[in-house]
């Protein structure tokens, strides 16, 4: 196992347990890797979504990332305070604000994506390329986001 030694055989018969244990291990490693950047995994998720769809509203970000609305406000405020994102008035709705990455935010996201790629490489190093493709397809299927065939 990637962290904490092998999982006892009695627990390996439960796929949900394995997913949870591996997910927690991955989350801890990613959280620790982001600390030097002053970021949290939720910042990465929001920045990734904003980079993919600049001008999203806080509500849209909440829907896409499943971060609760009050926490979303805090995440965006933290990104703004760090100079990584900015809110702009929505031209279609004066009451709404849209979110954009700053140039510094785009540069930071580029670095952090490379870091995430390195961590994934370590995490999945024991799998062949075919196994990794299969695992990814199965996880997307379970998450309800498998591509249409």
């Amino acid at each position: 196992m990637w962290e904490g030694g092998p999982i006892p055989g009695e627990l390996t018969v439960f796929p949900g347990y394995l997913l949870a244990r591996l997910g927690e291990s991955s989350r801890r490693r990613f959280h620790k890797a982001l600390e030097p950047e002053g970021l949290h995994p939720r910042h990465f998720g929001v920045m990734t979504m904003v980079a993919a769809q600049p001008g999203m509203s806080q509500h849209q970000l909440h829907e896409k990332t499943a971060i609760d609305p009050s926490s979303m406000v805090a995440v965006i405020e933290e990104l703004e305070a760090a100079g990584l994102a900015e809110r702009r008035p929505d031209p279609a709705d004066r009451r709404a604000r849209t979110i954009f990455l700053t140039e510094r935010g785009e540069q930071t996201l580029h670095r952090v994506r490379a870091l995430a790629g390195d961590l994934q490489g370590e995490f999945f190093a024991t799998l062949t390329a075919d196994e990794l493709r299969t695992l990814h397809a199965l996880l997307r299927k379970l998450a309800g986001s498998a591509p249409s065939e």
Side-chain angles (χ1 to χ4, degrees):
M1 182 168 162
W2 189 39
E3 183 180 274
I7 295 174
E10 298 84 359
L11 296 172
T12 63
V13 298
F14 301 102
Y17 180 84
L18 290 169
L19 281 171
R21 181 103 175 240
L22 292 168
E24 179 59 22
S25 175
S26 178
R27 186 202 62 77
R28 278 194 310 269
R29 288 276 305 253
F30 192 44
H31 181 83
K32 186 175 180 178
L34 290 176
E35 284 179 351
E37 292 283 348
L39 297 175
H40 185 277
R42 67 179 172 255
H43 296 128
F44 176 80
V46 168
M47 291 174 72
T48 297
M49 290 306 307
V50 171
Q53 298 176 39
M56 294 178 77
S57 69
Q58 288 179 191
H59 181 73
Q60 289 169 319
L61 283 166
H62 148 69
E63 289 176 341
K64 300 259 185 205
T65 62
I67 296 172
D68 69 86
S70 60
S71 295
M72 181 58 70
V73 171
V75 169
I76 293 169
E77 287 175 353
E78 291 161 1
L79 292 172
E80 277 189 308
L84 302 175
E86 62 184 8
R87 286 181 257 210
R88 300 178 192 164
D90 184 340
D93 180 355
R94 293 181 316 198
R95 297 167 296 159
R97 308 284 278 171
T98 56
I99 315 301
F100 293 84
L101 292 183
T102 62
E103 185 176 330
R104 180 176 175 196
E106 290 174 6
Q107 292 168 354
T108 300
L109 183 58
H110 180 74
R111 281 193 313 274
V112 173
R113 280 182 174 162
L115 177 66
D118 291 345
L119 286 173
Q120 284 189 124
E122 289 176 26
F123 191 81
F124 297 111
T126 61
L127 301 179
T128 67
D130 284 342
E131 289 171 333
L132 182 55
R133 276 191 293 279
T134 299
L135 175 63
H136 192 204
L138 292 170
L139 290 172
R140 288 185 66 175
K141 185 175 183 177
L142 286 171
S145 61
S148 305
E149 293 183 21

